[in-house]
Amino acid sequence: MDDHRTAPASRRGSRPRPGSGRRLLALGSAAALAPALLTACGGGSGTTTTSDGLVQVTVGGGGSIFDTPLQVADANGYFKKQGLKMKFVTLTAATGPSALQSGSVQFFDSSPTGFVSALAKGLPQIAVSCDGLGNPLGLVVSKKFAAAHQLTAKSSAATVAEALSGSTGGSSSANTKAEAGIFLDKYGVDPDERVTWVSLPSPAADKAAINSGQIDWFVTSEPIPLQIQDAGDGVVVADPFKVPEWAAGQAGYGQLVVAQRSYATAHPDVVKKFATAVQQATAYMDTHLKDSDDRTVLKAARKSLAGVPDGVVQAGLQQVDWPTSGSMDAAGWKKTMAFLDSLGTVPTGAEVTADNWTNKYLP
């Protein structure tokens, strides 16, 4: 999740209304650089072809579960069938927009928070596809805290919230702290009055702090919470299945394929090919994740989540809705913006208009 200022209490209570439809935001992209490159002919084309005649594109991702569609598209040959060769680079919410601006990447797998923040800064970027919906979050408590409060993975949301009253929580992101606040507020636990917060620099620091006993719990994106549980050091007591306010149906959050507006205008064919391949990947995931015998998605996900146990990867993938279509609509963006507003994670007055996203590059 992106680091932003903490949501004021008055805004945490403003939750988006449940809505219908799975279409929203997402981002998908990938790019590759061949060993031997040949500069494409044509005045100012700005594209490069590889020695085997494919168009080279580079995509930035955050090394998370949301990168999986890009890896699936590559593994299943969807990019190659579109005449594209991909190179993947790891970026952050802070470095992704500038990489697009400089042209060092052609696509960036962005969160809605990062995208809206970039727009608020006046960066000329456009969302061209949605490649995942929802918040794959986990609230993990230490093993000691779980035992003391008789918490298990099956404990009800109300029981968990009650147990967290008077506890010490870790926070390395304003987003995840605010999302924890949404959960606690729902059950009458004031996160400002009833939780002692310890600010930490990263989710990895959260993990270390829960192991050392410095904090009782924290919320962050998967796979870290499930990894802690898998290692026997804690228990995941809340996730999007238990907290519908985090799930796609109510939050409308997810991931987006973002491009520089000038690049999309100059190379509509490349953008369309890229968006087509990513949509094929998410449609494949929507179908094949339900088949326990299919290992294609798991193998692809391992490339972004190296070293993460297979069971953890599988569980994390199940927390996201993988859309059969990458299309977006105004209702979905309205839902997402309401969720962001409830968190207070974007600048006041930030907005997304019909000029900031498009479905025209989708098949």
Side-chain angles (χ1 to χ4, degrees):
M1 307 295 291
D2 301 315
D3 287 332
H4 291 280
R5 60 184 176 83
T6 304
S10 62
R11 299 184 75 183
R12 273 199 317 267
S14 174
R15 299 187 187 90
R17 297 178 182 274
S20 61
R22 300 180 60 198
R23 293 185 300 172
L24 240 251
L25 313 103
L27 161 48
S29 311
L33 182 56
L37 301 177
L38 302 175
T39 303
C41 299
S45 68
T47 62
T48 303
T49 56
T50 66
S51 57
D52 50 0
L54 302 177
V55 175
Q56 170 210 313
V57 291
T58 303
V59 59
S64 73
I65 284 171
F66 278 118
D67 292 347
T68 304
L70 309 179
Q71 301 289 359
V72 169
D74 198 41
N76 283 4
Y78 299 149
F79 287 131
K80 187 174 183 179
K81 289 177 183 177
Q82 292 294 325
L84 304 178
K85 191 171 182 68
M86 317 312 294
K87 179 181 179 180
F88 300 91
V89 296
T90 300
L91 298 171
T92 66
T95 60
S98 59
L100 278 177
Q101 288 293 110
S102 69
S104 59
V105 301
Q106 286 72 56
F107 301 97
F108 177 48
D109 194 28
S110 175
S111 71
T113 303
F115 177 60
V116 174
S117 297
L119 294 180
K121 295 175 182 177
L123 299 182
Q125 298 175 2
I126 187 167
V128 298
S129 177
C130 164
D131 67 354
L133 297 169
N135 286 290
L137 295 169
L139 190 160
V140 58
V141 300
S142 70
K143 188 175 181 180
K144 179 179 179 181
F145 188 87
H149 295 271
Q150 298 182 317
L151 294 179
T152 71
K154 296 183 179 180
S155 296
S156 70
T159 298
V160 172
E162 182 180 0
L164 297 184
S165 180
S167 66
T168 300
S171 171
S172 60
S173 161
N175 254 24
T176 50
K177 183 178 180 180
E179 284 157 342
I182 287 176
F183 167 59
L184 293 171
D185 273 336
K186 179 178 180 179
Y187 295 98
V189 178
D190 188 316
D192 295 323
E193 297 293 331
R194 299 301 303 156
V195 174
T196 299
W197 293 99
V198 175
S199 295
L200 296 161
S202 67
D206 285 331
K207 181 178 179 180
I210 204 173
N211 288 338
S212 69
Q214 183 183 2
I215 60 175
D216 297 317
W217 62 276
F218 69 95
V219 173
T220 196
S221 298
E222 296 296 356
I224 287 178
L226 287 170
Q227 281 184 282
I228 292 174
Q229 179 171 270
D230 185 73
D233 296 326
V235 181
V236 176
V237 294
D239 57 27
F241 301 113
K242 192 177 290 187
V243 186
E245 291 79 10
W246 295 347
Q250 291 195 37
Y253 202 79
Q255 203 80 347
L256 304 165
V257 177
V258 177
Q260 185 79 345
R261 185 179 293 275
S262 59
Y263 181 85
T265 300
H267 306 288
D269 55 331
V270 176
V271 178
K272 184 175 181 65
K273 290 174 180 178
F274 188 88
T276 296
V278 173
Q279 179 172 289
Q280 289 175 328
T282 55
Y284 181 93
M285 292 172 66
D286 176 70
T287 300
H288 290 78
L289 275 174
K290 301 167 188 173
D291 181 359
S292 59
D293 293 328
D294 188 293
R295 311 297 284 178
T296 302
V297 177
L298 178 61
K299 289 179 180 178
R302 287 185 188 135
K303 294 181 180 179
S304 296
L305 301 169
V308 180
D310 287 354
V312 170
V313 175
Q314 290 278 38
L317 289 169
Q318 298 293 341
Q319 292 186 14
V320 179
D321 286 350
W322 303 105
T324 56
S325 170
S327 64
M328 299 164 278
D329 59 32
W333 273 108
K334 182 177 180 180
K335 187 190 301 183
T336 294
M337 291 304 293
F339 178 70
L340 293 179
D341 185 63
S342 73
L343 297 179
T345 56
V346 293
T348 301
E351 63 177 351
V352 174
T353 71
D355 291 333
N356 304 132
W357 58 272
T358 182
N359 294 324
K360 71 178 183 181
Y361 299 109
L362 295 171

